[in-house]
mmCIF file of all heavy atoms in Angstrom:
data_model
loop_
_atom_site.group_PDB
_atom_site.id
_atom_site.type_symbol
_atom_site.label_atom_id
_atom_site.label_comp_id
_atom_site.label_asym_id
_atom_site.label_seq_id
_atom_site.Cartn_x
_atom_site.Cartn_y
_atom_site.Cartn_z
ATOM 1 N N GLU A 4 82.980 106.324 93.626
ATOM 2 C CA GLU A 4 84.370 106.217 93.098
ATOM 3 C C GLU A 4 84.398 106.294 91.561
ATOM 4 O O GLU A 4 85.458 106.440 90.963
ATOM 5 C CB GLU A 4 84.961 104.819 93.498
ATOM 6 C CG GLU A 4 85.100 104.749 95.040
ATOM 7 C CD GLU A 4 86.031 105.784 95.608
ATOM 8 O OE1 GLU A 4 86.964 106.236 94.939
ATOM 9 O OE2 GLU A 4 85.776 106.098 96.818
ATOM 10 N N HIS A 5 83.220 106.051 90.865
ATOM 11 C CA HIS A 5 83.250 106.052 89.370
ATOM 12 C C HIS A 5 82.940 107.457 88.907
ATOM 13 O O HIS A 5 82.261 108.313 89.686
ATOM 14 C CB HIS A 5 82.244 105.039 88.907
ATOM 15 C CG HIS A 5 82.610 103.647 89.021
ATOM 16 N ND1 HIS A 5 83.592 103.098 88.208
ATOM 17 C CD2 HIS A 5 82.166 102.659 89.886
ATOM 18 C CE1 HIS A 5 83.806 101.840 88.545
ATOM 19 N NE2 HIS A 5 82.870 101.508 89.573
ATOM 20 N N SER A 6 83.356 107.766 87.719
ATOM 21 C CA SER A 6 83.120 109.149 87.075
ATOM 22 C C SER A 6 82.056 108.982 85.969
ATOM 23 O O SER A 6 81.837 110.128 85.397
ATOM 24 C CB SER A 6 84.389 109.654 86.560
ATOM 25 O OG SER A 6 84.943 108.744 85.596
ATOM 26 N N HIS A 7 81.459 107.980 85.749
ATOM 27 C CA HIS A 7 80.408 107.814 84.777
ATOM 28 C C HIS A 7 79.445 106.739 85.231
ATOM 29 O O HIS A 7 79.448 106.232 86.276
ATOM 30 C CB HIS A 7 80.989 107.600 83.424
ATOM 31 C CG HIS A 7 80.144 108.210 82.270
ATOM 32 N ND1 HIS A 7 79.258 107.310 81.574
ATOM 33 C CD2 HIS A 7 79.988 109.361 81.724
ATOM 34 C CE1 HIS A 7 78.610 108.061 80.685
ATOM 35 N NE2 HIS A 7 79.014 109.308 80.690
ATOM 36 N N TRP A 8 78.404 106.443 84.363
ATOM 37 C CA TRP A 8 77.350 105.530 84.675
ATOM 38 C C TRP A 8 77.964 104.210 85.188
ATOM 39 O O TRP A 8 78.950 103.622 84.685
ATOM 40 C CB TRP A 8 76.652 105.038 83.435
ATOM 41 C CG TRP A 8 75.945 106.185 82.720
ATOM 42 C CD1 TRP A 8 75.779 107.482 83.098
ATOM 43 C CD2 TRP A 8 75.263 106.120 81.426
ATOM 44 N NE1 TRP A 8 75.135 108.211 82.145
ATOM 45 C CE2 TRP A 8 74.813 107.381 81.174
ATOM 46 C CE3 TRP A 8 75.120 105.128 80.482
ATOM 47 C CZ2 TRP A 8 74.060 107.749 79.940
ATOM 48 C CZ3 TRP A 8 74.425 105.355 79.308
ATOM 49 C CH2 TRP A 8 73.931 106.758 79.097
ATOM 50 N N VAL A 9 77.342 103.602 86.344
ATOM 51 C CA VAL A 9 77.740 102.436 86.844
ATOM 52 C C VAL A 9 76.776 101.296 86.338
ATOM 53 O O VAL A 9 75.595 101.429 86.649
ATOM 54 C CB VAL A 9 77.783 102.413 88.404
ATOM 55 C CG1 VAL A 9 78.483 101.135 88.961
ATOM 56 C CG2 VAL A 9 78.659 103.558 88.935
ATOM 57 N N TRP A 10 77.259 100.431 85.509
ATOM 58 C CA TRP A 10 76.420 99.436 84.850
ATOM 59 C C TRP A 10 76.138 98.174 85.759
ATOM 60 O O TRP A 10 75.099 97.540 85.601
ATOM 61 C CB TRP A 10 77.062 98.952 83.552
ATOM 62 C CG TRP A 10 76.927 99.905 82.426
ATOM 63 C CD1 TRP A 10 77.745 101.054 82.212
ATOM 64 C CD2 TRP A 10 75.982 99.953 81.377
ATOM 65 N NE1 TRP A 10 77.285 101.650 81.089
ATOM 66 C CE2 TRP A 10 76.153 101.047 80.601
ATOM 67 C CE3 TRP A 10 74.847 99.050 81.197
ATOM 68 C CZ2 TRP A 10 75.368 101.445 79.497
ATOM 69 C CZ3 TRP A 10 74.121 99.415 80.132
ATOM 70 C CH2 TRP A 10 74.296 100.518 79.186
ATOM 71 N N ASN A 11 77.156 97.863 86.654
ATOM 72 C CA ASN A 11 76.994 96.528 87.267
ATOM 73 C C ASN A 11 77.497 96.692 88.686
ATOM 74 O O ASN A 11 78.530 97.352 88.961
ATOM 75 C CB ASN A 11 78.029 95.559 86.577
ATOM 76 C CG ASN A 11 77.170 94.391 85.893
ATOM 77 O OD1 ASN A 11 77.784 93.567 85.465
ATOM 78 N ND2 ASN A 11 75.910 94.281 86.015
ATOM 79 N N VAL A 12 76.907 95.857 89.633
ATOM 80 C CA VAL A 12 77.338 95.792 91.000
ATOM 81 C C VAL A 12 77.208 94.339 91.379
ATOM 82 O O VAL A 12 76.144 93.685 91.086
ATOM 83 C CB VAL A 12 76.780 96.677 91.960
ATOM 84 C CG1 VAL A 12 75.177 96.601 92.058
ATOM 85 C CG2 VAL A 12 77.310 96.604 93.466
ATOM 86 N N ARG A 13 78.197 93.674 91.996
ATOM 87 C CA ARG A 13 78.238 92.270 92.255
ATOM 88 C C ARG A 13 78.865 92.054 93.743
ATOM 89 O O ARG A 13 80.044 92.397 93.932
ATOM 90 C CB ARG A 13 78.892 91.521 91.270
ATOM 91 C CG ARG A 13 78.062 91.326 90.031
ATOM 92 C CD ARG A 13 76.854 90.360 90.172
ATOM 93 N NE ARG A 13 76.053 90.271 88.928
ATOM 94 C CZ ARG A 13 75.169 91.136 88.615
ATOM 95 N NH1 ARG A 13 74.802 92.105 89.390
ATOM 96 N NH2 ARG A 13 74.393 90.897 87.547
ATOM 97 N N TYR A 14 78.132 91.465 94.620
ATOM 98 C CA TYR A 14 78.711 90.949 95.806
ATOM 99 C C TYR A 14 79.489 89.685 95.521
ATOM 100 O O TYR A 14 79.061 88.851 94.869
ATOM 101 C CB TYR A 14 77.549 90.564 96.873
ATOM 102 C CG TYR A 14 76.962 91.693 97.652
ATOM 103 C CD1 TYR A 14 75.756 92.188 97.309
ATOM 104 C CD2 TYR A 14 77.651 92.070 98.780
ATOM 105 C CE1 TYR A 14 75.322 93.300 98.075
ATOM 106 C CE2 TYR A 14 77.181 93.175 99.547
ATOM 107 C CZ TYR A 14 75.938 93.782 99.235
ATOM 108 O OH TYR A 14 75.313 94.686 99.970
ATOM 109 N N ASN A 15 80.568 89.517 96.343
ATOM 110 C CA ASN A 15 81.264 88.208 96.211
ATOM 111 C C ASN A 15 80.529 87.162 97.065
ATOM 112 O O ASN A 15 79.863 87.418 98.101
ATOM 113 C CB ASN A 15 82.650 88.280 97.004
ATOM 114 C CG ASN A 15 83.465 86.950 96.825
ATOM 115 O OD1 ASN A 15 83.147 86.029 97.483
ATOM 116 N ND2 ASN A 15 84.642 87.076 96.135
ATOM 117 N N HIS A 16 80.315 85.969 96.513
ATOM 118 C CA HIS A 16 79.352 84.904 97.011
ATOM 119 C C HIS A 16 79.832 84.406 98.378
ATOM 120 O O HIS A 16 79.105 83.950 99.150
ATOM 121 C CB HIS A 16 79.184 83.797 95.997
ATOM 122 C CG HIS A 16 78.741 84.290 94.671
ATOM 123 N ND1 HIS A 16 77.562 84.902 94.452
ATOM 124 C CD2 HIS A 16 79.392 84.006 93.435
ATOM 125 C CE1 HIS A 16 77.439 85.109 93.205
ATOM 126 N NE2 HIS A 16 78.447 84.707 92.574
ATOM 127 N N SER A 17 81.233 84.360 98.567
ATOM 128 C CA SER A 17 81.787 83.790 99.773
ATOM 129 C C SER A 17 82.114 84.794 100.719
ATOM 130 O O SER A 17 82.019 84.573 101.950
ATOM 131 C CB SER A 17 82.911 82.897 99.349
ATOM 132 O OG SER A 17 82.629 81.999 98.425
ATOM 133 N N HIS A 18 82.580 85.922 100.358
ATOM 134 C CA HIS A 18 83.135 86.993 101.294
ATOM 135 C C HIS A 18 82.310 88.378 100.882
ATOM 136 O O HIS A 18 82.782 88.966 100.110
ATOM 137 C CB HIS A 18 84.609 87.135 101.157
ATOM 138 C CG HIS A 18 85.288 85.959 101.300
ATOM 139 N ND1 HIS A 18 85.481 85.296 102.465
ATOM 140 C CD2 HIS A 18 85.845 84.991 100.348
ATOM 141 C CE1 HIS A 18 86.201 84.071 102.338
ATOM 142 N NE2 HIS A 18 86.363 83.953 101.044
ATOM 143 N N ASP A 19 81.259 88.574 101.677
ATOM 144 C CA ASP A 19 80.332 89.642 101.250
ATOM 145 C C ASP A 19 80.839 91.010 101.442
ATOM 146 O O ASP A 19 80.190 92.068 100.988
ATOM 147 C CB ASP A 19 78.980 89.441 101.839
ATOM 148 C CG ASP A 19 78.961 89.555 103.379
ATOM 149 O OD1 ASP A 19 79.801 90.264 104.026
ATOM 150 O OD2 ASP A 19 78.194 88.766 104.024
ATOM 151 N N GLN A 20 82.052 91.146 101.951
ATOM 152 C CA GLN A 20 82.612 92.584 102.110
ATOM 153 C C GLN A 20 83.213 92.961 100.645
ATOM 154 O O GLN A 20 83.523 94.195 100.393
ATOM 155 C CB GLN A 20 83.697 92.638 103.133
ATOM 156 C CG GLN A 20 85.004 91.974 102.903
ATOM 157 C CD GLN A 20 85.075 90.596 103.557
ATOM 158 O OE1 GLN A 20 84.169 89.790 103.537
ATOM 159 N NE2 GLN A 20 86.105 90.297 104.325
ATOM 160 N N LEU A 21 83.549 91.980 99.855
ATOM 161 C CA LEU A 21 84.094 92.364 98.509
ATOM 162 C C LEU A 21 82.991 92.720 97.419
ATOM 163 O O LEU A 21 82.182 91.870 97.231
ATOM 164 C CB LEU A 21 84.960 91.090 98.057
ATOM 165 C CG LEU A 21 86.045 90.696 98.935
ATOM 166 C CD1 LEU A 21 86.794 89.440 98.351
ATOM 167 C CD2 LEU A 21 87.131 91.796 99.094
ATOM 168 N N ILE A 22 83.137 93.884 96.957
ATOM 169 C CA ILE A 22 82.120 94.363 96.038
ATOM 170 C C ILE A 22 82.842 94.715 94.710
ATOM 171 O O ILE A 22 83.805 95.430 94.697
ATOM 172 C CB ILE A 22 81.461 95.651 96.477
ATOM 173 C CG1 ILE A 22 80.892 95.341 97.963
ATOM 174 C CG2 ILE A 22 80.327 96.080 95.647
ATOM 175 C CD1 ILE A 22 79.616 94.541 98.068
ATOM 176 N N LEU A 23 82.310 94.273 93.555
ATOM 177 C CA LEU A 23 82.875 94.554 92.183
ATOM 178 C C LEU A 23 81.734 95.564 91.528
ATOM 179 O O LEU A 23 80.655 95.403 91.537
ATOM 180 C CB LEU A 23 82.836 93.279 91.425
ATOM 181 C CG LEU A 23 84.126 92.409 91.294
ATOM 182 C CD1 LEU A 23 83.878 91.366 90.289
ATOM 183 C CD2 LEU A 23 85.356 93.285 90.985
ATOM 184 N N THR A 24 82.299 96.517 90.864
ATOM 185 C CA THR A 24 81.553 97.390 90.156
ATOM 186 C C THR A 24 82.160 97.681 88.798
ATOM 187 O O THR A 24 83.510 97.776 88.673
ATOM 188 C CB THR A 24 81.294 98.804 90.727
ATOM 189 O OG1 THR A 24 82.531 99.349 91.151
ATOM 190 C CG2 THR A 24 80.392 98.613 92.072
ATOM 191 N N GLY A 25 81.392 97.821 87.700
ATOM 192 C CA GLY A 25 81.813 98.185 86.355
ATOM 193 C C GLY A 25 81.258 99.388 85.906
ATOM 194 O O GLY A 25 79.969 99.607 86.190
ATOM 195 N N SER A 26 81.828 100.189 85.090
ATOM 196 C CA SER A 26 81.342 101.548 84.739
ATOM 197 C C SER A 26 81.696 101.970 83.269
ATOM 198 O O SER A 26 82.640 101.381 82.761
ATOM 199 C CB SER A 26 81.820 102.552 85.770
ATOM 200 O OG SER A 26 81.559 103.976 85.198
ATOM 201 N N SER A 27 80.983 102.997 82.793
ATOM 202 C CA SER A 27 81.211 103.564 81.445
ATOM 203 C C SER A 27 82.555 104.388 81.572
ATOM 204 O O SER A 27 82.917 104.958 80.505
ATOM 205 C CB SER A 27 80.055 104.423 80.965
ATOM 206 O OG SER A 27 78.903 103.694 80.834
ATOM 207 N N ASP A 28 83.095 104.584 82.671
ATOM 208 C CA ASP A 28 84.408 105.194 82.805
ATOM 209 C C ASP A 28 85.508 104.278 82.430
ATOM 210 O O ASP A 28 86.743 104.541 82.652
ATOM 211 C CB ASP A 28 84.611 105.906 84.169
ATOM 212 C CG ASP A 28 84.580 104.843 85.352
ATOM 213 O OD1 ASP A 28 84.679 103.637 85.020
ATOM 214 O OD2 ASP A 28 84.596 105.363 86.538
ATOM 215 N N SER A 29 85.171 103.047 81.950
ATOM 216 C CA SER A 29 86.190 102.042 81.485
ATOM 217 C C SER A 29 86.922 101.278 82.601
ATOM 218 O O SER A 29 87.826 100.643 82.428
ATOM 219 C CB SER A 29 87.138 102.595 80.510
ATOM 220 O OG SER A 29 86.527 103.357 79.475
ATOM 221 N N ARG A 30 86.397 101.553 83.861
ATOM 222 C CA ARG A 30 87.087 101.000 85.014
ATOM 223 C C ARG A 30 86.249 99.928 85.730
ATOM 224 O O ARG A 30 85.041 100.024 85.845
ATOM 225 C CB ARG A 30 87.529 102.000 86.017
ATOM 226 C CG ARG A 30 88.546 103.069 85.424
ATOM 227 C CD ARG A 30 88.970 104.137 86.499
ATOM 228 N NE ARG A 30 87.943 104.854 87.051
ATOM 229 C CZ ARG A 30 87.896 105.490 88.220
ATOM 230 N NH1 ARG A 30 88.913 105.443 88.859
ATOM 231 N NH2 ARG A 30 86.902 106.192 88.537
ATOM 232 N N VAL A 31 86.964 98.993 86.347
ATOM 233 C CA VAL A 31 86.402 98.010 87.266
ATOM 234 C C VAL A 31 87.004 98.264 88.586
ATOM 235 O O VAL A 31 88.208 98.478 88.788
ATOM 236 C CB VAL A 31 86.891 96.552 86.805
ATOM 237 C CG1 VAL A 31 86.261 95.558 87.871
ATOM 238 C CG2 VAL A 31 86.195 96.281 85.569
ATOM 239 N N ILE A 32 86.185 98.440 89.594
ATOM 240 C CA ILE A 32 86.639 98.831 90.974
ATOM 241 C C ILE A 32 86.244 97.767 91.936
ATOM 242 O O ILE A 32 85.094 97.213 91.965
ATOM 243 C CB ILE A 32 86.119 100.169 91.425
ATOM 244 C CG1 ILE A 32 86.603 101.337 90.550
ATOM 245 C CG2 ILE A 32 86.508 100.420 92.941
ATOM 246 C CD1 ILE A 32 86.251 102.696 91.053
#
């Protein structure tokens, strides 16, 4: 889903279907 480097990926501690990602494309998904 990102268009540039993905710097970070994090699972939600309570609900593991929720995934956060941050990227050099300036977006958080």
Side-chain angles (χ1 to χ4, degrees):
E4 300 298 331
H5 285 288
S6 57
H7 207 263
W8 303 350
V9 188
W10 282 85
N11 240 185
V12 57
R13 286 289 178 270
Y14 275 102
N15 185 293
H16 307 301
S17 304
H18 308 284
D19 60 33
Q20 70 262 49
L21 299 178
I22 308 289
L23 267 184
T24 54
S26 164
S27 295
D28 63 9
S29 310
R30 296 185 301 159
V31 174
I32 293 180

